[in-house]
Amino acid sequence: FCIMAAPGKVAAFRLPPLPTIGEIIKLFRLKALKQLSQNFLLDLRLTDKIVKQAGELKNAHVCEVGPGPGGITRSILSAGVKQLLLIEKDARFIPGLQMLSEAAPGKVRIIHGDILTYKMEKAFPKHLKKDWEDEPPDIHIIGNLPFSVSTPLIIKWLENVSKRDGPFTYGRTQMTLTFQKEVGERLTANPGSNQRSRLSIMAQHLCTVENCFIIPGQAFVPKPEVDVAVVHFTPLVQPKIQQPFELVEKVVRSVFQFRRKYCFRGIETLFPENGRLKRTEQLMMTANVDPTLRPFQLSMSQFRNLCNAYRKMCDEDPSLFVYNYREELRQKKTTGSLLGSTGQPERTEEENQL
């Protein structure tokens, strides 16, 4: 409901008195499931702080991922949003969320489903769409993500950013999400940092990534073994590496395959064994990258040069892009195991029986 405002002032939305989050957990006999890496945040001062990092939410459209017992949900509603979409996979939480929905008539829509498969491109009204070059749309994604889903989900959304689909059909939709502290550090790590990783490059080449603050583990129930980072993402107008997501991901993954060795060792894995050394040298010379640098020392511009040079080589030889280093290793291992001590193929079980 809405409290009546003084003349000339906008009415402020206030939730009516509700059971506390702790009481909701008891009322519906909710228990965090370890196998789903669930942790409840009961302190509404902290949920308010998370929501504040999303920016101005007055009359905004918000999607909350995995609301659970609804702590962050209350803070989002108290921020005066116009519409709130809740996507919750665990059916046990739906009754408590429906109670919140009834307390904010017409504002809340609850979807019982998996965020990894939910079609976000139809989640919001079409009139909210903005051109990519414009300011971000009045749409926000907020979520206290289970650790088990946070990394695959952010990789999926980064691919959506690159292709401008999913929740980014509407423009440069902003995200405020929680990650385990170490993952948060990887997302924001600079060149030379020990935390610099594949995740750092994939996130930073597509978004402005800000590590907002750390929530101590003891603030959650049950207490996780690690602290939690709140990270804010705003997609960039122009990605720092202007190549297809799959190509960038392949190059970056290959480079970081041997993160403690010289970077050329990982880059070698982009090429088949036949001609590997020559092609690795060609790629590194074209990209002007020192082969004795470690992967975590490479700058974004060096990764851009590597991706651009690799793209040129793939255009000249399309079979390169589909080459899979691990598959080649598997085949060699299989071939090796079929050879006996005489160098001849080992007999199959059927041949031995004959």
Side-chain angles (χ1 to χ4, degrees), residues 100-151:
L100 275 176
S101 176
E102 288 160 13
K107 282 186 177 284
V108 180
R109 187 157 56 104
I110 302 168
I111 301 288
H112 177 212
D114 187 343
I115 188 62
L116 285 167
T117 55
Y118 181 69
K119 303 292 183 189
M120 291 277 290
E121 53 270 16
K122 295 180 180 175
F124 305 103
K126 286 182 182 178
H127 71 82
L128 295 171
K129 284 189 180 185
K130 290 206 175 180
D131 290 337
W132 195 260
E133 294 72 24
D134 291 344
E135 287 298 303
D138 216 1
I139 296 172
H140 301 260
I141 298 172
I142 299 174
N144 174 30
L145 305 175
F147 296 154
S148 60
V149 79
S150 61
T151 302

Side-chain angles (χ1 to χ4, degrees), residues 106-350:
K107 282 186 177 284
V108 180
R109 187 157 56 104
I110 302 168
I111 301 288
H112 177 212
D114 187 343
I115 188 62
L116 285 167
T117 55
Y118 181 69
K119 303 292 183 189
M120 291 277 290
E121 53 270 16
K122 295 180 180 175
F124 305 103
K126 286 182 182 178
H127 71 82
L128 295 171
K129 284 189 180 185
K130 290 206 175 180
D131 290 337
W132 195 260
E133 294 72 24
D134 291 344
E135 287 298 303
D138 216 1
I139 296 172
H140 301 260
I141 298 172
I142 299 174
N144 174 30
L145 305 175
F147 296 154
S148 60
V149 79
S150 61
T151 302
L153 183 56
I154 195 58
I155 288 290
K156 171 181 158 56
W157 276 341
L158 289 170
E159 183 172 2
N160 289 146
V161 171
S162 175
K163 295 175 178 177
R164 301 182 186 183
D165 60 13
F168 308 97
T169 303
Y170 300 89
R172 295 185 297 118
T173 302
Q174 297 179 79
M175 303 182 284
T176 307
L177 306 168
T178 62
F179 298 88
Q180 109 182 44
K181 184 185 173 187
E182 187 180 309
V183 177
E185 288 170 349
R186 283 185 204 152
L187 284 162
T188 55
N190 293 317
S193 162
N194 282 334
Q195 294 286 13
R196 186 83 160 169
S197 68
R198 174 180 73 117
L199 209 49
S200 318
I201 309 303
M202 297 311 294
Q204 293 171 33
H205 107 82
L206 289 163
C207 298
T208 300
V209 191
E210 181 189 356
N211 201 333
C212 304
F213 66 96
I214 302 297
I215 304 174
Q218 61 258 33
F220 293 85
V221 177
K223 177 188 170 187
E225 293 176 5
V226 294
D227 294 337
V228 172
V230 177
V231 184
H232 184 76
F233 302 81
T234 306
L236 295 164
V237 173
Q238 288 290 345
K240 292 180 180 172
I241 304 171
Q242 295 193 31
Q243 294 294 350
F245 183 87
E246 292 83 359
L247 185 141
V248 178
E249 216 264 343
K250 185 179 182 184
V251 171
V252 174
R253 187 176 65 244
S254 297
V255 171
F256 279 101
Q257 195 151 251
F258 305 100
R259 61 173 288 112
R260 294 295 165 195
K261 297 187 177 181
Y262 293 144
C263 64
F264 79 83
R265 180 67 191 88
I267 290 168
E268 281 183 324
T269 66
L270 287 167
F271 304 108
E273 191 172 24
N274 185 19
R276 177 173 287 157
L277 186 59
K278 185 180 177 184
R279 281 173 150 174
T280 303
E281 288 175 352
Q282 180 191 341
L283 177 62
M284 303 211 72
M285 283 180 66
T286 307
N288 193 26
V289 172
D290 180 350
T292 63
L293 287 172
R294 313 280 178 187
F296 59 87
Q297 293 175 308
L298 297 183
S299 67
M300 188 63 75
S301 62
Q302 287 170 316
F303 273 105
R304 181 173 62 240
N305 291 349
L306 286 169
C307 291
N308 290 344
Y310 180 64
R311 170 65 185 270
K312 194 177 176 189
M313 293 173 81
C314 288
D315 287 344
E316 291 166 1
D317 179 3
S319 69
L320 261 188
F321 187 68
V322 295
Y323 165 71
N324 185 311
Y325 174 72
R326 289 175 185 271
E327 187 57 40
E328 186 180 68
L329 278 185
R330 269 195 294 272
Q331 287 176 359
K332 281 178 73 177
K333 196 173 180 182
T334 304
T335 305
S337 67
L338 288 172
L339 293 174
S341 56
T342 60
Q344 296 300 316
E346 285 187 344
R347 294 185 202 178
T348 65
E349 192 174 334
E350 292 85 352

